[in-house]
């Protein structure tokens, strides 16, 4: 059991490379640790890339969730227009990357969980952001257990059942679930999580070797390593090339 725990800690502290679309820019960042832990953001005193923090990320990730961005114009992040190369603009991008209630509401609209013309409500959305993070902390150990072939944690399942009761949804005759409000969107996600627990997918759940996200392995040989060849796969190959061709 201790060996299994140690392996999971080692895996969570591994540095993961991700990209996010922020205010029209593709921002690359590194992260380590469990996403439900206390968050630590590593920012540079002078604009630079996350490469500066490559050695401290795994160590900090043992107790925290750590994120270090490539600031716009550095590393793998897009470069802004010349008239946007200001410290104020950098601060805006970093603030948007960390995300707030408005970002959650935007994601829900993009995913079709909220109407495109839904009225913004920052105060309410900030509360929902807290609840969404709690929901994510329930889903993560479930997918983690499925990927490792372990029993699903009872506490996580109980939490999903509670989250599924906290929002209003409509259920059609064919089983289609439609959220009726923003909290219903989270109830929808909780119900989908419960469905995955009760009816695990035929395809094995895998964990991306680079970013740590989960995916269903549809490859013929069941040996897929990355969530996406376009992003993580190419980045892993580029990193391996740089390591062998200094």
């Amino acid at each position: 059991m201790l060996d299994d725990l140690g392996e999971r800690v080692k895996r969570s502290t591994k540095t993961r490379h991700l990209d996010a679309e922020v205010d029209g820019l593709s921002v690359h960042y590194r992260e380590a640790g469990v996403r439900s832990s206390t968050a630590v953001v590593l920012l540079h005193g002078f604009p630079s890339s996350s490469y500066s923090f490559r050695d401290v990320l795994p160590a900090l990730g043992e107790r925290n969730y750590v994120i270090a961005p490539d600031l716009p114009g550095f590393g793998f992040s897009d470069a802004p227009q010349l008239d946007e190369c200001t410290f104020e603009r950098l601060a805006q991008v970093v603030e948007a990357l960390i995300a707030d209630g408005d970002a959650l509401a935007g994601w829900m609209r993009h995913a079709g969980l909220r109407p495109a013309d839904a009225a913004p409500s920052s105060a309410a959305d900030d509360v929902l952001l807290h609840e969404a993070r709690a929901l994510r902390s329930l889903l993560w150990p479930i997918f983690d257990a499925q990927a490792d072939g372990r029993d699903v944690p009872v506490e996580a399942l109980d939490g999903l059942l509670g989250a599924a009761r906290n929002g209003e949804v409509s259920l059609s005759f064919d089983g289609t679930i439609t959220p009726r409000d923003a909290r219903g969107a989270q109830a929808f996600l909780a119900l989908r999580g419960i469905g995955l627990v009760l009816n695990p997918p035929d395809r094995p759940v895998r964990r991306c070797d680079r970013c740590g996200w989960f995916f269903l392995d549809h490859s013929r040989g069941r040996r897929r390593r990355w969530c996406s060849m376009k992003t993580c796969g190419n980045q892993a190959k580029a990193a391996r090339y740089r390591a062998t061709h200094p």
Side-chain angles (χ1 to χ4, degrees):
M1 181 176 179
L2 290 177
D3 291 341
D4 178 64
L5 177 60
E7 180 61 29
R8 276 185 281 165
V9 171
K10 180 180 179 182
R11 185 169 58 243
S12 68
T13 58
K14 179 181 178 182
T15 300
R16 303 178 291 273
H17 294 254
L18 297 166
D19 295 279
E21 191 73 19
V22 180
D23 288 348
L25 298 174
S26 176
V27 178
H28 180 82
Y29 62 96
R30 306 179 191 217
E31 67 172 16
V34 180
R35 293 180 175 88
S36 57
S37 301
T38 301
V40 176
V41 182
L42 301 178
L43 298 177
H44 315 78
F46 186 81
S48 185
S49 73
S50 59
Y51 184 79
S52 306
F53 301 111
R54 66 191 183 281
D55 293 329
V56 301
L57 275 163
L60 291 175
E62 293 181 3
R63 295 180 178 273
N64 305 278
Y65 168 57
V66 193
I67 178 173
D70 288 354
L71 295 179
F74 297 87
F76 292 104
S77 293
D78 287 347
Q81 299 294 326
L82 289 178
D83 58 352
E84 294 184 342
C85 293
T86 64
F87 283 102
E88 180 181 4
R89 174 59 171 158
L90 293 180
Q92 292 172 350
V93 171
V94 171
E95 182 179 4
L97 175 64
I98 297 174
D100 55 13
D102 291 336
L104 174 64
W107 176 84
M108 285 184 172
R109 289 191 293 270
H110 179 74
L113 299 178
R114 291 183 71 176
D117 57 352
S121 178
S122 298
D125 286 340
D126 286 342
V127 174
L128 290 172
L129 178 62
H130 175 75
E131 295 176 354
R133 287 171 172 162
L135 177 60
R136 181 182 61 185
S137 70
L138 297 173
L139 292 169
W140 193 263
I142 288 177
F143 295 144
D144 203 18
Q146 289 184 328
D148 292 340
R150 296 181 284 105
D151 290 341
V152 172
V154 176
E155 300 82 2
L157 179 57
D158 287 343
L160 285 184
L161 292 171
R165 293 193 295 266
N166 287 337
E168 295 186 13
V169 299
S170 298
L171 183 63
S172 67
F173 70 93
D174 61 355
T176 301
I177 303 172
T178 303
R180 301 186 65 178
D181 54 19
R183 187 163 278 110
Q186 299 198 54
F188 169 86
L189 294 174
L191 289 169
R192 292 296 298 270
I194 294 170
L196 287 174
V197 173
L198 300 178
N199 298 288
D202 295 333
R203 305 291 184 179
V205 177
R206 302 291 189 201
R207 187 182 300 101
C208 180
D209 285 353
R210 188 162 183 84
C211 72
W213 289 112
F214 296 100
F215 63 90
L216 298 180
D217 187 358
H218 292 281
S219 63
R220 181 175 301 177
R222 304 292 190 271
R223 296 181 178 179
R224 181 175 161 188
R225 297 177 53 193
W226 303 296
C227 60
S228 170
M229 187 64 204
K230 182 179 179 181
T231 54
C232 288
N234 287 337
Q235 289 175 5
K237 291 184 175 182
R240 186 165 61 246
Y241 178 84
R242 289 194 299 269
T244 56
H245 296 77

